[in-house]
Amino acid sequence: MAEADLIVEGMEEPSYFGKLNDFLKKAVEELGEPNWEMSLTLCGDDYISELNRDYRGKEGPTDVLTFVMDEGDDPEGFIPDPSLPKSVGDIVVSLDRVRENASELGISFDEELKRVIVHGILHLKGMTHEGYDWEQGMLKEQETLLKKYKDIRFTEDDETILD
């Protein structure tokens, strides 16, 4: 079974924390990775801005950062035990950006939160994308997966955020 460490940085733990953990595990397992170990950090713009600057050389906040654990080459002849957990990396999500994105897109907070988490998971799986073409590659896979999760709710009040 997939294992996820949920971390909150610089804010109180959201009331939907347990539901988020269940969603993360479900998404990873549905992608065929039942033995993954990973972490998901929820934070605000200040924290993710520091990470974005320090690790990507970019100023300002972003919605999601993914840090893939590179375990390097296995020694010759080594065959990993597929039943043992495999540490794959970390996903960091700015809830400030998720709220802003949801508002700009006219969608619910929950929908956007699921989107950035799935996006991070696909990066941990080794997928990448050039630009934002939603009709092909990783982003198409992301949107296909999100359709499966359309009925999953984290928050009590899942109103669409409109300005």
Side-chain angles (χ1 to χ4, degrees):
M1 171 177 253
E3 294 182 30
D5 290 327
L6 270 62
I7 303 162
V8 177
E9 184 65 44
M11 62 178 54
E12 288 187 34
E13 184 177 294
S15 61
Y16 52 85
F17 214 53
K19 292 178 184 177
L20 194 57
N21 195 21
D22 292 343
F23 170 73
L24 188 61
K25 288 178 182 179
K26 177 181 175 130
V28 167
E29 288 173 7
E30 283 190 19
L31 283 170
E33 303 296 347
N35 294 321
W36 272 13
E37 286 181 334
M38 59 191 298
S39 75
L40 172 66
T41 300
L42 302 178
C43 64
D45 280 350
D46 290 342
Y47 185 75
I48 208 163
S49 291
E50 289 177 30
L51 295 176
N52 205 21
R53 181 191 64 234
D54 294 349
Y55 292 97
R56 296 180 65 223
K58 296 188 176 190
E59 291 299 321
T62 188
D63 50 9
V64 60
L65 290 173
T66 307
F67 298 95
V68 178
M69 183 168 295
D70 182 12
E71 296 176 343
D73 294 329
D74 292 327
E76 188 174 323
F78 175 76
I79 300 172
D81 184 342
S83 68
L84 295 177
K86 177 183 178 185
S87 296
V88 294
D90 310 301
I91 300 170
V92 182
V93 172
S94 168
L95 295 182
D96 295 333
R97 287 296 93 211
V98 169
R99 280 186 197 91
E100 183 70 26
N101 290 353
S103 178
E104 288 176 9
L105 297 170
I107 62 174
S108 72
F109 172 83
D110 284 1
E111 182 179 344
E112 184 61 10
L113 183 55
K114 287 183 282 191
R115 179 170 282 107
V116 298
I117 290 171
V118 167
H119 191 88
I121 290 169
L122 292 175
H123 277 309
L124 289 180
K125 194 165 171 71
M127 298 180 84
T128 60
H129 59 93
E130 293 294 326
Y132 291 95
D133 184 349
W134 303 97
E135 299 300 319
Q136 61 180 322
M138 178 185 158
L139 299 179
K140 182 178 181 179
E141 175 75 11
Q142 170 186 297
E143 297 306 305
T144 300
L145 288 169
L146 287 171
K147 289 177 186 172
K148 290 182 179 182
Y149 308 134
K150 67 181 178 177
D151 294 329
I152 295 174
R153 301 282 183 258
F154 303 128
T155 57
E156 296 291 322
D157 182 18
D158 190 33
E159 298 284 326
T160 299
I161 300 172
L162 299 172
D163 285 337

